[in-house]
Amino acid sequence: MNIFLKFSVLASFLIFSGCGDGHDHEHKGHDHKGHDHGGHAHEAPHGGALVLLGEHGTGFHLEVILGKEGILDLYVLDGEVENFVRVSQEELSMQVTAKDSKSQSILMTAVEDAATGESIGNTSHFRAQTEMKGVESFDAILSSVKIKGTVFEKVSFSYPQGNE
């Protein structure tokens, strides 16, 4: 009986000292440290800039990455930055202005990926070869993207900060 009593006390302690509002452990792909649930940050899967589309939690995200060789990649993600979201567009257009240079129009094309089954007209990944080799920051306006029936127009953001 003595062992049962000790176990009951230990179990009660663990139950009542469990997760509360000020918890410091991770949940489902994002960290809750240092923020409230209304404004938590997400981590981009490829380390790029996150661009929020729509209301937080109900909208979508874009991840934008500019490689040193001038290759610009864009990924369409869900509102929690956990899953890629395929769109039917074959091209995306952006107006980009890098520091100390004139504005340029960039046409990004859909990327096929046999490993994921993504194809032109059914992909979450877009890419463009640009003249921005060595550029570290820029401002951009995405003309339009249609995701699951919702059209987002004139989406502005800065790279590498994003708009979150």
Side-chain angles (χ1 to χ4, degrees):
M1 186 72 164
N2 192 16
I3 292 173
F4 178 73
L5 181 60
K6 288 179 182 178
F7 178 75
S8 295
V9 170
L10 178 62
S12 297
F13 174 76
L14 292 174
I15 289 170
F16 291 112
S17 66
C19 196
D21 286 341
H23 57 284
D24 283 343
H25 57 271
E26 292 186 20
H27 283 277
K28 200 171 181 174
H30 59 271
D31 186 354
H32 288 254
K33 293 180 193 174
H35 66 271
D36 63 22
H37 292 272
H40 66 269
H42 300 284
E43 190 171 318
H46 304 97
L50 287 177
V51 178
L52 177 64
L53 303 172
E55 294 296 318
H56 181 78
T58 61
F60 299 93
H61 281 89
L62 304 175
E63 180 183 14
V64 180
I65 305 157
L66 178 61
K68 292 179 183 174
E69 303 80 28
I71 296 174
L72 186 64
D73 286 292
L74 181 144
Y75 295 89
V76 182
L77 300 156
D78 65 8
E80 293 298 322
V81 191
E82 294 174 350
N83 300 297
F84 294 95
V85 178
R86 297 180 187 194
V87 298
S88 61
Q89 284 176 257
E90 296 181 10
E91 299 176 331
L92 297 176
S93 177
M94 274 198 287
Q95 200 66 30
V96 176
T97 307
K99 186 177 179 182
D100 299 327
S101 69
K102 63 181 181 175
S103 179
Q104 60 180 305
S105 184
I106 295 176
L107 187 63
M108 304 188 75
T109 57
V111 175
E112 290 184 284
D113 186 342
T116 63
E118 293 190 19
S119 60
I120 306 298
N122 185 29
T123 188
S124 62
H125 184 192
F126 293 82
R127 175 175 280 167
Q129 176 64 53
T130 72
E131 300 295 321
M132 298 193 304
K133 291 180 184 175
V135 171
E136 294 182 12
S137 64
F138 61 86
D139 293 321
I141 300 174
L142 176 68
S143 297
S144 175
V145 61
K146 184 177 181 180
I147 307 171
K148 296 193 177 207
T150 303
V151 177
F152 301 94
E153 295 182 311
K154 297 182 181 175
V155 179
S156 63
F157 64 94
S158 294
Y159 183 87
Q161 299 85 0
N163 73 354
E164 275 206 323

